[in-house]
Amino acid sequence: MPVVTDQAFVTLATNDAYAKGALVLCQSLKQHNTTRQVVVLFTPQVSSKMRHALQCLFDEAREVNVLDSGDTAHLALLSRPELGITFTKIHCWCLVQYSKCVFMDADTLVCQNIDELFEREELSAAPDPGWPDCFNTGVFVYVPSVEIYDRLLQFAVENGSFDGGDQGLLNSFFRNWSTVDIHKHLPFIYNLASIALYSYLPAFKQFGASVKVVHFLGLTKPWHHTYSVETKSAVQESMSPMDSTFINFLNTWWDIYTTSILPLLTQENGEKRETQKLPQTVKEEITDSFLALSLGSEPVDPDQAQDWCRWEEGNMDYMGKDAFANIQKKLDKFLK
């Protein structure tokens, strides 16, 4: 299939955690043979290591920072500073080099090719599971336009957002979505929210095989789960009907992350690869004074101290030196 260079999927990464989600999303699009460009907007909070990975995988990676911009967004924030994150997201309308785009949140996952979305008009989106007369802004089709961008900013300053975020703003701005044109209502399979499975599990059992995009709504994201390399499955402390049904999507996310994304996070010059952070509460930061500690009369090796710091912060190299087999060897040696 020929590559279409004037249309793009667009996502946003506001920190390193969401950058991981964006990378998995991009890889899932490519695994399902998208013919469109894939673009990521990222904020200054994203680390240089993550930026490098984004630049390697995405067709375009662009930094955005409305707080420091000299454009109308900066002026708007003087009146409505609480809408900073929302203003960052609507920067996607500034990608005027593309004739049409599909915005996708970084906590979404593509399960089938969805290039047909570019046949839809602005603003096409799926209904929100919590309030179906509103659309969910995790996936929507739009046409980049500086004029619309400026109007959105002005609308935000004058009216704010009824939920404090981009979904409230966009639903108010595109307020006729639910009544004017049913063709702008995307089928739910293009934005299946995980929380919807609680209320309508039978529908998922009937139509789940047709799902094209999964949206990991809620506070717990895929990267917050514990993942077992041995079983190649996310670890579930308790199982409910939703868990047993949705676990396959979660495992798909992790499979992409471990096989395709972790290699991208290998630093240059032979440095150690970034490791997955555990979802448990991060412990207090270990300072340089830790190097002054000793075990008995034997000073602590700097490399060993660095390893301890990683463990204290929850950053274990499950794929390398901290693999279960290596830990078992150390335990056996210690017990002997």
Side-chain angles (χ1 to χ4, degrees):
M1 294 289 291
V3 176
V4 181
T5 58
D6 70 334
Q7 297 179 345
F9 289 100
V10 181
T11 192
L12 170 66
T14 54
N15 54 41
D16 278 10
Y18 277 86
K20 292 178 181 179
L23 288 164
V24 171
L25 169 61
C26 180
Q27 185 64 23
S28 69
L29 282 163
K30 293 188 174 184
Q31 284 184 357
H32 292 290
N33 302 315
T34 181
T35 60
R36 269 60 177 188
Q37 301 292 287
V38 190
V39 178
V40 61
L41 306 177
F42 63 89
T43 64
Q45 288 71 32
V46 176
S47 68
S48 58
K49 182 191 302 183
M50 279 295 180
R51 295 185 189 199
H52 176 73
L54 294 172
Q55 291 164 353
C56 288
L57 195 59
F58 282 83
D59 297 302
E60 180 180 357
R62 175 184 296 191
E63 181 175 355
V64 292
N65 185 6
V66 295
L67 290 174
D68 293 335
S69 66
D71 58 14
T72 51
H74 177 69
L75 298 176
L77 279 169
L78 297 179
S79 300
R80 303 300 296 265
E82 77 280 5
L83 296 174
I85 296 297
T86 296
F87 287 174
T88 302
K89 186 169 183 177
I90 64 177
H91 253 72
C92 67
W93 263 272
C94 294
L95 297 170
V96 293
Q97 67 270 39
Y98 301 105
S99 62
K100 187 179 290 185
C101 294
V102 175
F103 186 91
M104 304 185 71
D105 279 349
D107 58 352
T108 57
L109 175 72
V110 173
C111 303
Q112 300 183 47
N113 185 283
I114 55 173
D115 287 356
E116 68 272 11
L117 286 179
F118 290 92
E119 299 172 9
R120 301 277 183 155
E121 301 299 321
E122 182 181 70
L123 188 291
S124 292
D128 187 82
W131 197 270
D133 284 341
C134 294
F135 58 85
N136 184 275
T137 55
V139 179
F140 61 87
V141 183
Y142 74 99
V143 177
S145 165
V146 174
E147 178 186 357
I148 296 296
Y149 172 72
D150 289 337
R151 286 173 55 194
L152 278 166
L153 290 175
Q154 185 62 33
F155 187 90
V157 171
E158 295 176 355
N159 302 280
S161 167
F162 65 75
D163 68 351
D166 61 274
Q167 184 150 310
L169 171 64
L170 293 178
N171 270 279
S172 295
F173 187 83
F174 296 98
R175 59 186 178 276
N176 296 325
W177 172 85
S178 63
T179 57
V180 171
D181 188 356
I182 191 64
H183 293 96
K184 293 185 178 180
H185 290 216
L186 295 181
F188 198 51
I189 60 172
Y190 288 100
N191 192 348
L192 175 70
S194 54
I195 59 174
L197 297 184
Y198 282 113
S199 60
Y200 208 6
L201 184 58
F204 177 80
K205 292 180 177 178
Q206 178 69 23
F207 305 111
S210 301
V211 169
K212 295 199 170 188
V213 178
V214 176
H215 191 179
F216 296 97
L217 280 178
L219 295 177
T220 303
K221 304 302 181 184
W223 51 87
H224 292 145
H225 287 265
T226 303
Y227 180 75
S228 170
V229 177
E230 287 76 23
T231 63
K232 297 188 182 299
S233 177
V235 178
Q236 295 289 299
E237 295 182 359
S238 62
M239 296 296 289
S240 70
M242 190 284 292
D243 292 326
S244 60
T245 303
F246 204 68
I247 191 68
N248 290 334
F249 294 126
L250 186 60
N251 288 339
T252 297
W253 190 97
W254 271 99
D255 181 65
I256 294 175
Y257 181 78
T258 55
T259 60
S260 300
I261 305 307
L262 276 178
L264 283 178
L265 299 179
T266 303
Q267 296 183 354
E268 298 178 354
N269 302 322
E271 297 180 13
K272 295 180 181 179
R273 178 175 60 202
E274 178 180 305
T275 57
Q276 172 60 25
K277 195 170 190 176
L278 286 178
Q280 286 77 13
T281 303
V282 179
K283 296 181 180 180
E284 294 182 358
E285 182 179 359
I286 308 301
T287 63
D288 290 339
S289 61
F290 187 84
L291 295 175
L293 295 176
S294 62
L295 294 174
S297 59
E298 183 179 352
V300 176
D301 181 84
D303 290 337
Q304 184 183 16
Q306 185 179 21
D307 291 340
W308 285 350
C309 288
R310 287 191 300 98
W311 272 75
E312 289 293 325
E313 294 170 350
N315 291 326
M316 292 75 166
D317 185 7
Y318 292 117
M319 307 295 288
K321 66 188 303 180
D322 299 327
F324 178 80
N326 292 333
I327 295 175
Q328 186 66 53
K329 290 179 181 178
K330 290 184 179 180
L331 288 173
D332 292 341
K333 182 178 179 181
F334 176 78
L335 291 174
K336 289 179 180 180

